[in-house]
Amino acid sequence: MKLEIANFYVKDIIFSDKTSYKEGVLTINKQEALEIVKQDKHITYADIVIAKPGENIRIVPVKEAIEPRYRVGGGALFPGVTGDIFQVGNGKTLALKGCSVLVVGKHWGGFQDGLIDMNGEGAKYTQFSSLNNICLVADTDEEFERYEQQKKNKALRWAGMRLAQYIGECVKDLQSQEVEVYELKSIDKELVENIDLPKVVFVMQVQSQMEELGYNDLIYGWDCNRMVPTFMHPNEILDGAIISGSFMPSSSKWSTYDFQNFPMIKRLYKEHGKTINFLGVIVSNLNVALEQKERAALFVTKLAKVLGADAAVVAEEGYGNPDADFIACIKSLEEAGIKTVGLTNECTGRDGASQPLVTLDQKANAIVSCGNVSELIELKPMEKVIGDLNSLARDGLSGGWSGDEVLGPSVREDGSIIMENNSMFCGDGVVGWSKKTMVEY
């Protein structure tokens, strides 16, 4: 399979009477864009606000991020989700780089929502502070989950995907500045051509803890809670086969933007044919029951052995309960003679003194840490808030609170905040963005 991603770099975004792209400037017809958003009758309010790097802007509650793209030859940007199912990862896709569509709640947040600061101390904690963000600020009539801590946010998330597809279409007739090419031949041919290189698989443990459908990551529209580990071509993931779910504390979740740009996959591609033979991706579930965890580890190891892998990289989306899947998978692979490296964040408490993962094993002896989800962060007020700042404390966001005997409320009267890293939107960057680690003293 050969995938070409043609890149158009966005240096600035403005509103105009036409949605177009020219010399690094993306212009958006706001009225037309909002009509796309409001195709869903459940959307009761919608606005689009631009947030640029360096501006004194705080965005919360952030629910999702998507890179605007256009699929050459037609077809849904996310098959099985926004349109009919077909295989992706082959052909050409146009991508607007340096920007994202952020889905932001006008009022109501939840456990899985997060915060982005475009300037100051908070900006260093998330990849999205460096992007030109098209913030879809919206509300719905989904009263059945308005006051629930855990929300599916379906109408808002799907609106964001439609908006990203609409914006991406503006470059369909243009020549891109660069083209990234991702190609893996069939495994038998790669084994012949790279016979002397170690064979490596990437194991992605995507979020799938919720038994009720609608909260978990989707593969071609299929809820990952209902799957067993499966082998996928890395191009499929980079080209829209997987979308993010609504479940998981915000700092440790993987947004759809993350799947579209997965740095770890791109890094393995970079080494392919040089230092490794990159075989592909094993996508694994993260279910709750012990039997399901054992089955997943068994399937991952079986697939890796059948593929002839010498080594594996395992990355988990989330922490806590998924740590058991993470460690079980690493242990199983190591016992099969497959050298394994793990990628994860840690939950070591506000003082950093607690056990980093829920469960550990001596065979998990090569783990890359992406930081402590419980680390306390204090941030100064911002001149502008997109969304609703009070949602951080009021609505059960995983890193915020309404009151604390020692620390007081997360949101202070002057607009400054104190919170756990948990609330930084996709801030741990386990997919490969992370600049954080842990330090031993």
Side-chain angles (χ1 to χ4, degrees):
M1 292 174 65
K2 181 180 179 181
L3 172 65
E4 294 181 291
I5 300 180
N7 294 330
F8 298 80
Y9 286 91
V10 175
K11 299 176 182 178
D12 195 12
I13 304 176
I14 58 174
F15 292 117
S16 183
D17 58 355
K18 182 181 180 182
T19 299
S20 62
Y21 174 89
K22 184 177 181 180
E23 297 178 351
V25 179
L26 172 64
T27 61
I28 299 174
N29 181 322
K30 189 173 182 178
Q31 181 178 351
E32 194 171 271
L34 288 173
E35 288 174 1
I36 299 294
V37 168
K38 293 178 180 178
Q39 286 176 356
D40 188 334
K41 64 181 181 181
H42 292 294
I43 303 291
T44 58
Y45 170 89
D47 192 16
I48 297 173
V49 184
I50 307 303
K52 303 174 184 179
E55 293 183 329
N56 288 312
I57 291 177
R58 178 162 291 152
I59 314 168
V60 66
V62 183
K63 301 174 180 294
E64 170 66 299
I66 309 113
E67 183 171 80
R69 290 186 173 187
Y70 174 76
R71 192 177 302 284
V72 175
L77 198 54
F78 303 103
V81 179
T82 58
D84 294 338
I85 295 177
F86 60 92
Q87 184 177 315
V88 296
N90 212 34
K92 192 170 187 177
T93 295
L94 313 183
L96 287 163
K97 294 294 181 183
C99 72
S100 79
V101 170
L102 294 182
V103 180
V104 185
K106 177 174 173 56
H107 293 301
W108 302 101
F111 173 76
Q112 69 289 333
D113 297 337
L115 178 145
I116 297 170
D117 272 1
M118 300 303 295
N119 196 358
E121 172 71 10
K124 71 182 185 182
Y125 287 93
T126 173
Q127 165 74 8
F128 294 94
S129 64
S130 65
L131 303 179
N132 289 289
N133 293 305
I134 304 153
C135 302
L136 170 59
V137 185
D139 203 0
T140 78
D141 65 359
E142 296 169 302
E143 296 294 331
F144 64 93
E145 67 173 11
R146 181 180 295 281
Y147 300 105
E148 295 293 328
Q149 186 183 26
Q150 187 66 51
K151 298 174 174 62
K152 295 180 182 180
N153 289 318
K154 181 175 181 180
L156 298 181
R157 291 160 57 216
W158 264 241
M161 287 183 278
R162 291 197 304 276
L163 179 58
Q165 184 166 309
Y166 161 77
I167 293 171
E169 192 172 351
C170 76
V171 297
K172 66 178 182 179
D173 297 320
L174 302 181
Q175 187 71 33
S176 66
Q177 288 104 325
E178 69 174 18
V179 177
E180 300 174 37
V181 179
Y182 298 98
E183 183 176 14
L184 287 182
K185 300 173 184 175
S186 61
I187 289 177
D188 59 336
K189 292 180 181 179
E190 293 287 2
L191 290 176
V192 172
E193 293 185 10
N194 299 299
I195 191 169
D196 296 324
L197 297 176
K199 301 178 289 296
V200 179
V201 291
F202 181 41
V203 181
M204 289 174 50
Q205 296 182 313
V206 296
Q207 190 48 236
S208 53
Q209 286 180 262
M210 298 293 280
E211 289 288 341
E212 183 179 338
L213 300 180
Y215 293 100
N216 302 307
D217 295 354
L218 302 179
I219 298 180
Y220 288 106
W222 186 259
D223 194 295
C224 292
N225 185 270
R226 303 297 194 265
M227 64 174 278
V228 292
T230 186
F231 182 71
M232 293 184 70
H233 197 289
N235 289 5
E236 294 179 274
I237 295 149
L238 297 175
D239 199 27
I242 304 182
I243 70 158
S244 175
S246 68
F247 178 75
M248 190 34 57
S250 185
S251 72
S252 56
K253 73 189 297 182
W254 299 348
S255 70
T256 298
Y257 181 98
D258 288 320
F259 285 114
Q260 292 173 297
N261 291 278
F262 220 107
M264 192 64 224
I265 290 177
K266 292 186 177 183
R267 183 73 174 115
L268 290 167
Y269 250 123
K270 189 175 181 180
E271 295 301 317
H272 178 66
K274 299 175 184 176
T275 62
I276 64 169
N277 180 2
F278 181 28
L279 299 175
V281 179
I282 299 173
V283 180
S284 181
N285 47 321
L286 288 170
N287 292 16
V288 174
L290 179 59
E291 177 187 318
Q292 295 168 332
K293 298 176 186 296
E294 291 171 343
R295 184 182 298 111
L298 183 153
F299 267 72
V300 168
T301 304
K302 175 195 69 176
L303 286 168
K305 288 166 64 178
V306 168
L307 291 166
D310 301 305
V313 178
V314 179
E316 67 166 328
E317 181 183 7
Y319 68 94
N321 188 287
D323 293 346
D325 305 73
F326 180 66
I327 294 298
C329 185
I330 293 174
K331 179 184 177 185
S332 180
L333 288 165
E334 286 279 348
E335 288 176 343
I338 299 169
K339 294 296 182 183
T340 306
V341 175
L343 309 177
T344 183
N345 52 23
E346 303 181 37
C347 184
T348 59
R350 292 177 182 178
D351 60 359
S354 300
Q355 179 171 304
L357 302 175
V358 167
T359 182
L360 296 168
D361 190 278
Q362 289 184 346
K363 291 184 175 64
N365 58 9
I367 294 179
V368 178
S369 170
C370 299
N372 176 17
V373 299
S374 301
E375 179 185 359
L376 281 176
I377 301 170
E378 291 195 61
L379 301 173
K380 296 179 180 179
M382 286 286 173
E383 292 178 4
K384 180 178 181 180
V385 173
I386 297 176
D388 184 357
L389 181 58
N390 290 319
S391 67
L392 175 66
R394 183 192 64 215
D395 300 333
L397 271 66
S398 50
W401 55 86
S402 57
D404 183 277
E405 290 183 1
V406 177
L407 301 172
S410 274
V411 180
R412 297 159 174 161
E413 291 184 3
D414 65 352
S416 64
I417 58 177
I418 182 169
M419 66 180 204
E420 291 184 356
N421 176 70
N422 257 318
S423 278
M424 279 294 173
F425 183 72
C426 300
D428 297 328
V430 174
V431 297
W433 304 116
S434 181
K435 298 179 181 178
K436 297 181 293 181
T437 187
M438 306 299 287
V439 177
E440 285 192 21
Y441 293 94

